Amino acid sequence: MDIDAILKELTLEEKASLCSGEDFWHTKAIERLGIPSIMVSDGPHGLRKNVENAENPNTAIKAVCFPSACALACSFDRELVGEMGKALGEQCQAEEVSVILGPGCNIKRSPLCGRNFEYFSEDPYLASQMAIAHIKGVQSKGVGTSLKHFAANNQESRRMSIEEIIDERTLHEIYLAAFEQTIKQAKPWTVMCSYNKINGVYSSQNKHLLTDILRSDWGFEGLVVSDWGAVDDRVKGIKAGLDLEMPSSMGKNDKYIVKAVNSGELDENELDKCVRKILELIQKSVQSKTEMTWDKERHHALAEKLSLRSAVLLKNDDKLLPLDKSAKIAFIGAFAEQPRYQGGGSSHINSFKTVSALEAVEGNENITYARGFNLEKDESDLVLEEEAVKAAKNADCVVIFAGLPEAFESEGYDRTHMCLPSYQLELIDKLCEVNENIAVVLHNGSPVELPFDDKVKAILEMYLGGQAVGSAEVKLLFGEENPSGKLAETFPEKLEDNPSYLNFPGDDNTVRYAEGIFVGYRYYEKKKIAVCYAFGHGLSYTDFEYSDMKVSDYEISETDTVTVQVTVTNTGSRDGAEVVQLYIAPKQASVMRPIKELKGFERVYLKAGESRRIVFRLDKSAFAYYSEKIHDFYSESGEYTISLSSSSADERLSADVHFNASKPLPIRFTLDSLGGDVQAIPEGKAMLEELLKSIGVNMTGNDERLDGDEIEIALKMLLDMPLHTMVSFSKTKEITREKMQQFVDKLNEKFG
Ligand code: BGC
């Protein structure tokens, strides 16, 4: 395909028509020019390819449902998530799907977001690492991805119209950061814009977002596709950099595009830019097509492996788990029979098979089962409860399979509370009265309140663990496998503790991100709010010790890459994996910053007794915050603590380093600048001191020249005073507005 030649051949009408899909899942073909149509399908944790001409238009082919992103992220396992990506890529090649829609790397602002299960984390670094692995895996098979939903799609309530008010620093440091890193490092073929508005503009027509940031600042070269139905004004969209509208506009928007070009409102070159991107995507997918088959059972086994690695052992008092195989065990709760393993909406996979925990223990005579509750009804069933209590009384230990029923969380709406259904909580209470050895296995896409946390001995969080979740559960419960997942989000004690609580999902059509950068653990730590389970927490059946931390350089400059090394030893008696987390904490900062932030992690599998040296590499970006003064990230000089931790609440080793910025934040000084801004730069402070000495500015009213302590006092008083006030406060005629302006000019010459 010679794209330049085709662009010359295409009529204006043909160009306009290419700018939206042929139907729900295909781009348009233009036969006379040999432009084929390509197919896209959802994602992200399985292939949801629609069966063509099926009676029900939503029928998808049989495929494999891998664990959802909420679970996957807890694995902290770049390699295995990459394997899943490769498996998805193979399925797409075999099924002739050119682009699989996903992954989503939106930040979990509130636990209530109905679509949290499709997102990775409350932390941008972790979210980006998972998205990068996913995308690289898929794309290594010659299949494209669509990183979504760009940007700040953090709630489902009024998701298609909500107006989000987000300040610049928060947007870049939290909500865009995961996209930025993923786009730069994984180069997704496409990016899907979100439905919502950010600061007054729909993402689908937001030039600042789709062109200035995405393409100019981050260097994105792929195609931008709308979320399905996210287009409001198609012409504005083209001007903003939205290449492809999906699904088909059925020609409705073509005529606006043609009219806008004819009237001069839209430069045809801008239209050509979009058409070029569409042709490039088609060309890339045609060139990447290969014959491929996929092995359902192999992918099912991969789904189980992912579920095993994603499960988080939240608590395990008295080492209740792993269960003793010879004990009498009662499995209680309908989720043992019908596990909830995926969320609702566009990511819903038609699994070719599923395994429940009950199926996985078939034939084991030590296990009895009582359903305990009905998933079909949102109410207690006394007969089932009685049966469950009886089973619990007769057992040595009880495993309760609890969780959120399907209707509680889905794409399209948010949860209204963070509780498990009351009939499950009541049942758990009743069972705790008759048996003290209780483990709870959870199935949910987002945190739930855990009022029974003190009453049960063990909690195993499976999230939405994919179609093989049941066999994974059994392997973990009986110790055939060792849990190693770590929470990718905080479990607050209660919903009201969450930083977005007062501003979620917003009033009328507006939501204010008033908590700013303090999302998830960044907030709980800063406010010293006790949480139920901390970000990064997860237990194991073995123990790990950290030793011998070494930092290659304790004085770090902007161009350095520092290595941080540590030895991790499995000191227990079982093989297992540990996720070592690296956090960076500024000891002081000129702006409000979180206590610490995740800047690295490594997952390491160790046989019992085995040790391994782990190496992290850090550059200046690990110390940075987003400065609105320079509209960019800035790493400030100062002391920082690097900690190596087993969870955000379990620091094992730490070291202090000093980071040296090559230059201070470039500031444009004016007469309105504060004395403090000047004093923030040591040389600036010296200049101000000189000025004070020479002119005798006196805050106390007497006319004497200042020296010694008085200068110190004057400098302190000036911290919060604009420079121009020195003119009025000075009792000497020497200090004039002109003189102060000269001082400002001098400052700008030196530091601006
Ligand atoms: C969802 C997208 C999805 C698309 C196609 C939209 O409603 O937000 O995530 O890829 O539908 O199904």
Side-chain angles (χ1 to χ4, degrees):
M1 233 161 99
D2 178 345
I3 292 179
D4 286 322
I6 290 179
L7 272 169
K8 284 196 192 116
E9 286 288 318
L10 284 167
T11 64
L12 176 58
E13 287 70 20
E14 283 170 333
K15 286 181 189 171
S17 80
L18 276 171
C19 287
S20 89
E22 169 66 27
D23 54 28
F24 230 77
W25 303 115
H26 295 87
T27 61
K28 277 209 186 84
I30 296 191
E31 273 161 27
R32 75 174 188 94
L33 295 173
I35 303 171
S37 149
I38 59 167
M39 181 172 200
V40 303
S41 284
D42 279 305
H45 48 260
L47 176 60
R48 187 176 71 104
K49 180 188 171 186
N50 269 30
V51 176
E52 301 209 22
N53 306 321
E55 232 171 81
N56 176 346
N58 278 329
T59 312
I61 60 163
K62 292 277 180 200
V64 175
C65 179
F66 295 105
S68 308
C70 57
L72 291 174
C74 298
S75 73
F76 283 67
D77 194 332
R78 299 175 180 96
E79 209 181 310
L80 203 62
V81 171
E83 286 304 311
M84 180 193 78
K86 286 183 195 159
L88 289 171
E90 284 168 14
Q91 293 178 24
C92 289
Q93 280 289 4
E95 298 293 342
E96 305 206 322
V97 170
S98 297
V99 175
I100 179 160
L101 306 173
C105 70
N106 294 107
I107 294 298
K108 302 187 196 217
R109 176 172 176 251
S110 162
L112 298 183
C113 172
R115 218 171 172 183
N116 271 359
F117 69 87
E118 268 191 77
Y119 302 138
F120 294 113
S121 180
E122 67 189 23
D123 180 82
Y125 175 74
L126 176 56
S128 71
Q129 293 299 298
M130 295 293 105
I132 291 166
H134 178 127
I135 291 170
K136 284 189 171 169
V138 174
Q139 295 190 172
S140 71
K141 298 289 174 182
V143 171
T145 54
S146 198
L147 184 64
K148 62 192 185 181
H149 306 92
F150 189 59
N153 187 172
N154 310 106
Q155 63 187 62
E156 291 299 283
S157 307
R158 284 162 274 141
R159 68 169 166 160
M160 298 189 179
S161 61
I162 192 78
E163 155 90 46
E164 296 167 354
I165 311 291
I166 316 179
D167 66 77
E168 184 184 341
R169 177 178 175 195
T170 301
L171 187 61
H172 284 266
E173 203 168 305
I174 302 293
Y175 296 99
L176 295 183
F179 284 99
E180 176 174 0
Q181 289 314 315
T182 308
I183 280 155
K184 287 180 174 168
Q185 293 179 47
K187 302 193 184 340
W189 288 14
T190 79
V191 164
M192 186 190 293
C193 78
S194 58
Y195 290 116
N196 48 277
K197 286 181 184 168
I198 301 174
N199 300 327
V201 190
Y202 278 125
S203 296
S204 64
Q205 50 207 45
N206 191 330
K207 182 164 185 294
H208 182 54
L209 191 68
L210 302 186
T211 297
D212 303 347
I213 294 177
L214 181 63
R215 294 193 192 280
S216 309
D217 294 349
W218 300 350
F220 177 65
E221 287 178 350
L223 167 140
V224 179
V225 59
S226 71
D227 197 345
W228 268 231
V231 169
D232 169 34
D233 182 323
R234 187 64 184 106
V235 173
K236 279 191 186 159
I238 289 177
K239 287 183 179 172
L242 173 69
D243 304 308
L244 176 64
E245 172 184 4
M246 285 301 277
S248 170
S249 81
M250 321 268 290
K252 287 177 230 168
N253 278 333
D254 302 7
K255 63 173 190 284
Y256 293 118
I257 299 172
V258 171
K259 197 170 149 209
V261 172
N262 286 336
S263 70
E265 184 200 342
L266 177 67
D267 187 335
E268 193 162 347
N269 286 326
E270 294 192 82
L271 175 60
D272 284 356
K273 275 193 205 159
C274 296
V275 176
R276 180 181 290 279
K277 291 290 168 199
I278 294 163
L279 295 174
E280 280 172 0
L281 178 70
I282 294 173
Q283 182 177 52
K284 200 167 182 174
S285 52
V286 169
Q287 286 171 350
S288 310
K289 278 226 161 80
T290 47
E291 283 290 313
M292 226 175 250
T293 52
W294 68 285
D295 180 341
K296 282 196 169 88
E297 289 299 340
R298 192 169 65 78
H299 290 183
H300 177 82
L302 177 61
E304 187 195 68
K305 203 167 173 183
L306 282 156
S307 183
L308 286 167
R309 293 209 186 159
S310 306
V312 186
L313 183 60
L314 293 178
K315 73 176 285 186
N316 193 19
D317 288 356
D318 302 336
K319 298 209 161 113
L320 180 68
L321 299 180
L323 296 170
D324 177 356
K325 279 198 179 108
S326 60
K328 281 198 292 175
I329 299 162
F331 274 17
I332 294 175
F335 286 106
E337 206 179 338
Q338 304 158 256
R340 174 145 178 268
Y341 62 93
Q342 66 171 326
S346 59
S347 66
H348 203 271
I349 302 303
N350 187 3
S351 300
F352 85 90
K353 76 169 178 190
T354 56
V355 186
S356 70
L358 218 50
E359 283 163 333
V361 293
E362 217 173 74
N364 184 334
E365 287 174 0
N366 288 339
I367 297 177
T368 53
Y369 170 62
R371 178 182 273 205
F373 51 84
N374 265 319
L375 281 171
E376 291 72 35
K377 286 192 235 142
D378 192 13
E379 59 190 30
S380 300
D381 183 317
L382 293 179
V383 177
L384 292 181
E385 274 188 8
E386 248 172 59
E387 202 178 282
V389 169
K390 205 161 137 201
K393 270 188 190 156
N394 292 329
D396 298 322
C397 57
V398 176
V399 184
I400 305 174
F401 293 80
L404 293 175
E406 275 199 343
F408 273 53
E409 49 183 355
S410 163
E411 176 178 340
Y413 54 90
D414 292 322
R415 284 192 291 168
T416 51
H417 59 78
M418 226 180 91
C419 305
L420 286 171
S422 52
Y423 61 84
Q424 290 186 34
L425 295 175
E426 279 161 30
L427 177 68
I428 295 174
D429 277 351
K430 285 187 182 165
L431 298 175
C432 287
E433 276 166 26
V434 298
N435 196 311
E436 56 178 20
N437 293 321
I438 293 197
V440 176
V441 180
L442 288 172
H443 308 76
N444 44 301
S446 193
V448 287
E449 289 177 17
L450 300 170
F452 49 82
D453 190 40
D454 289 342
K455 294 187 202 153
V456 303
K457 283 195 175 163
I459 303 179
L460 181 63
E461 172 59 85
M462 297 304 294
Y463 277 105
L464 303 179
Q467 66 181 49
V469 70
S471 52
E473 284 166 358
V474 167
K475 285 184 178 170
L476 292 163
L477 287 170
F478 288 96
E480 203 178 308
E481 295 280 344
N482 191 348
S484 56
K486 304 273 187 171
L487 287 180
E489 61 191 319
T490 312
F491 269 51
E493 281 183 358
K494 52 187 188 309
L495 177 63
E496 291 81 349
D497 292 343
N498 179 263
S500 73
Y501 179 69
L502 295 176
N503 292 285
F504 186 94
D507 296 323
D508 301 327
N509 205 29
T510 304
V511 58
R512 290 189 165 69
Y513 284 35
E515 68 286 357
I517 58 164
F518 293 97
V519 174
Y521 68 89
R522 287 168 169 75
Y523 175 80
Y524 301 114
E525 290 189 349
K526 195 80 175 176
K527 294 273 291 180
K528 295 194 168 72
I529 292 175
V531 299
C532 193
Y533 289 105
F535 175 84
H537 167 78
L539 304 174
S540 163
Y541 296 152
T542 188
D543 296 306
F544 299 97
E545 243 174 52
Y546 294 34
S547 59
D548 204 10
M549 174 177 183
K550 275 215 174 68
V551 183
S552 62
D553 224 327
Y554 290 86
E555 282 293 327
I556 304 169
S557 78
E558 281 196 352
T559 48
D560 287 343
T561 300
V562 190
T563 57
V564 180
Q565 300 191 31
V566 65
T567 300
V568 184
T569 305
N570 179 345
T571 54
S573 53
R574 282 169 182 272
D575 304 346
E578 167 70 329
V579 177
V580 183
Q581 299 157 46
L582 185 151
Y583 294 90
I584 296 203
K587 288 197 147 191
Q588 71 291 304
S590 60
V591 293
M592 191 62 109
R593 294 193 70 173
I595 300 287
K596 65 176 186 288
E597 294 177 281
L598 182 75
K599 293 295 171 183
F601 62 81
E602 288 302 327
R603 191 189 152 92
V604 55
Y605 178 81
L606 296 168
K607 294 209 165 301
E610 198 187 348
S611 294
R612 181 118 14 106
R613 198 92 179 124
I614 296 174
V615 185
F616 295 91
R617 284 189 174 73
L618 300 174
D619 61 22
K620 70 167 184 176
S621 64
F623 303 93
Y625 71 92
Y626 184 90
S627 164
E628 295 193 0
K629 283 185 179 154
I630 56 167
H631 310 293
D632 201 354
F633 283 91
Y634 179 70
S635 310
E636 190 174 35
S637 290
E639 299 280 324
Y640 294 82
T641 303
I642 302 178
S643 63
L644 296 171
S645 308
S646 183
S647 97
S648 64
D650 183 6
E651 176 185 303
R652 299 296 180 86
L653 295 170
S654 71
D656 289 349
V657 295
H658 190 271
F659 180 82
N660 299 298
S662 66
K663 51 178 182 200
L665 254 189
I667 303 174
R668 242 11 258 156
F669 289 99
T670 65
L671 286 173
D672 284 336
S673 299
L674 301 182
D677 292 341
V678 180
Q679 295 181 54
I681 307 166
E683 261 187 273
K685 186 174 178 188
M687 283 167 69
L688 193 59
E689 211 169 314
E690 259 327 288
L691 183 75
L692 287 172
K693 278 186 189 152
S694 72
I695 59 164
V697 170
N698 191 329
M699 308 299 161
T700 52
N702 70 60
D703 255 350
E704 287 158 24
R705 299 262 149 197
L706 301 177
D707 51 20
D709 280 356
E710 287 162 332
I711 292 272
E712 271 311 302
I713 293 169
L715 283 170
K716 271 200 183 140
M717 292 182 79
L718 277 169
L719 282 175
D720 287 337
M721 289 166 62
L723 294 175
H724 68 78
T725 56
M726 288 175 69
V727 180
S728 2
F729 280 111
S730 166
K731 298 291 172 230
T732 142
K733 291 212 173 83
E734 287 169 53
I735 186 81
T736 58
R737 205 168 162 85
E738 289 69 33
K739 189 143 192 174
M740 282 315 293
Q741 186 57 52
Q742 283 166 15
F743 179 70
V744 164
D745 293 344
K746 230 164 59 202
L747 286 171
N748 282 330
E749 236 168 70
K750 267 190 130 37
F751 313 113

